[in-house]
Amino acid sequence: MKIERIETFRGAVPLTKPFKTALRTVTTAEAVFVKISCDNGIVGWGEAPPTVVITGDSLLSIESAINHVIKPFLEKKSLLNYEFLFQGLKTILVGNPSAKAAVDMALYDCLAQYCKLPLYQFLGGHKQELETDFTVSVNGPEEMGDDAVSYIQQGFNVLKVKVGKDDINTDLERIREVRNRVGNEIKIRLDANQGWNAKDAIRAIRKMEDSGLMIELVEQPVKADDIEGLKQVTDHVDTLIMADESVFTPKQAFQVLKTRSADLINIKLMKAGGIYQAQIINQLAETCGVECMVGSMIETRLGISAAAHFAASKQNITRYDFDAPLMLAKEIVDGGIQYNGRLITMPSEPGLGIKGVILEGGVSIG
């Protein structure tokens, strides 16, 4: 089974409500879609969103990396020699993790189809159903409370509340408002997106603990490269601390795990460079007794399907943040995972289960 052709396409779809974090505001989900065609008729799909403030990847850099570097390396190669291909994808260019991830998931899509298995079964097959949280964007306390109530009314049991913007006292107001509005039965996770320093984080989290706000975990409270600060927070609070932007690569995961700088790790395919590297991060974490979450950027059902297949395949992945497709104003992907409120069901078709994508102007590719 040889790779005959690699193509890229741009797509975009508006969000129903702006997605706001301490790092950015997103109103439109943009992506570069990848289509890999093999000589036996198998077609694999991938997606890479531009997230310049986190991964450094833009639409232009993704397209350039794929078309000018990755494509010449992969075309005409046998996909059955996939260890060589994934190792090469890791080393032929530095950085560009989202471009690599889009190609990586398309390759895995092809391989699982060749084996006539859904990708989650090809990778391990741990479970067929997942429960996603839903994200509350960072806004004023009252608006965040309204949003939280709306999501609970839609059936979500876990909220991921964005903080880390403005001052720490405003963040505490936001958290108290959300907790007061949704009651004590709803699980709340916080994501500061690097918005605090270590001392403020410790002070704020201790206040939350003393106030009985029952926060399940706090994600990336400090700057990505402040591993000492991350460890300081982890060591001085009872609440679980999760590393996100601090961990892109297996080497970074090893450093966080070796120093016990976090209680949990959030793996994203767009940070790791795809499923191949994400599996290594999860295996390292599992060896150290550290559970993982799998999350995403603002992606369509295509990219989220790949992340969900990976997450569903592994026992050590226990938390899931796959709400991005539910934020989109319309569906542009045919196939993939299926949503029933907060529950996600893995497809039974081989590979990712993707049949095609609708681009801007209504052009369909499949």
Side-chain angles (χ1 to χ4, degrees), residues 236-255:
H236 288 87
V237 300
D238 294 327
T239 304
L240 295 174
I241 302 300
M242 176 181 284
D244 181 8
E245 290 95 336
S246 290
V247 176
F248 276 55
T249 67
K251 186 174 182 179
Q252 290 172 328
F254 177 74
Q255 184 65 26

Side-chain angles (χ1 to χ4, degrees), residues 46 83 166 274 314:
E83 173 70 8
D166 307 313
K314 306 300 180 186

Side-chain angles (χ1 to χ4, degrees), residues 3 80-81 197 201 217-218 270 303 310 350:
I3 299 170
L80 300 184
N81 188 10
N197 60 49
L217 61 88
V218 177
M270 297 303 144
F310 164 60

Side-chain angles (χ1 to χ4, degrees), residues 2 4 6 35 45 49 56 64 74 76 85 91 113 130 135 148 158 177 208 218 233 237 249 260 312-313 358:
K2 289 188 176 181
E4 274 198 340
I6 300 175
K35 180 181 179 182
W45 293 94
S64 180
L74 288 177
K76 310 307 177 186
L85 300 185
T91 58
Q113 288 181 62
L130 309 173
T135 302
V158 184
E177 178 69 14
M208 296 177 218
V218 177
V233 177
V237 300
T249 67
R260 292 289 173 179
S313 74
I358 300 172

Side-chain angles (χ1 to χ4, degrees), residues 99-326:
K100 292 176 180 178
V103 174
D104 168 285
M105 68 177 70
L107 294 175
Y108 272 107
D109 189 11
C110 292
L111 286 168
Q113 288 181 62
Y114 180 80
C115 294
K116 297 180 172 58
L117 289 172
L119 181 55
Y120 81 97
Q121 291 183 349
F122 177 81
L123 295 172
H126 179 62
K127 61 178 68 173
Q128 190 177 6
E129 189 174 81
L130 309 173
E131 179 179 350
T132 184
D133 58 19
F134 205 96
T135 302
V136 179
S137 286
V138 59
N139 287 295
E142 185 174 352
E143 183 177 354
M144 292 178 71
D146 291 343
D147 288 343
V149 169
S150 172
Y151 303 145
I152 297 307
Q153 290 173 344
Q154 293 173 42
F156 292 92
N157 291 331
V158 184
L159 297 177
K160 181 175 181 177
V161 179
K162 293 290 188 178
V163 290
K165 191 174 182 181
D166 307 313
D167 61 90
I168 201 82
N169 290 321
T170 302
D171 276 337
L172 288 169
E173 289 178 23
R174 291 170 170 132
I175 298 159
R176 291 190 190 102
E177 178 69 14
V178 170
R179 175 55 79 195
N180 289 338
R181 296 287 296 278
V182 303
N184 293 333
E185 301 301 315
I186 299 302
K187 191 175 291 185
I188 293 178
R189 301 166 178 165
L190 302 183
D191 187 359
N193 284 115
Q194 311 178 57
W196 298 335
N197 60 49
K199 287 186 176 182
D200 281 347
I202 293 168
R203 180 168 61 89
I205 295 168
R206 283 178 172 171
K207 281 189 176 182
M208 296 177 218
E209 292 169 347
D210 293 342
S211 301
L213 290 176
M214 295 183 295
I215 302 303
E216 180 202 11
L217 61 88
V218 177
E219 186 175 343
Q220 199 62 49
V222 299
K223 297 296 183 185
D225 59 358
D226 186 9
I227 302 304
E228 290 182 357
L230 185 65
K231 177 174 174 56
Q232 185 180 358
V233 177
T234 301
D235 288 345
H236 288 87
V237 300
D238 294 327
T239 304
L240 295 174
I241 302 300
M242 176 181 284
D244 181 8
E245 290 95 336
S246 290
V247 176
F248 276 55
T249 67
K251 186 174 182 179
Q252 290 172 328
F254 177 74
Q255 184 65 26
V256 167
L257 293 164
K258 181 178 70 172
T259 57
R260 292 289 173 179
S261 295
D263 301 299
L264 304 161
I265 291 177
N266 187 353
I267 302 173
K268 295 176 181 172
L269 301 188
M270 297 303 144
K271 294 187 302 167
I275 294 168
Y276 186 85
Q277 291 282 86
Q279 291 187 100
I280 298 172
I281 294 171
N282 179 62
Q283 288 163 358
L284 285 169
E286 186 171 19
T287 300
C288 295
V290 172
E291 294 178 357
C292 293
M293 170 191 273
V294 175
S296 73
M297 307 304 180
I298 299 298
E299 303 167 39
T300 72
R301 189 187 296 252
L302 200 167
I304 300 298
S305 289
H309 274 281
F310 164 60
S313 74
K314 306 300 180 186
Q315 179 176 313
N316 192 57
I317 297 171
T318 56
R319 295 166 175 86
Y320 318 98
D321 181 24
F322 296 143
D323 56 348
L326 303 176

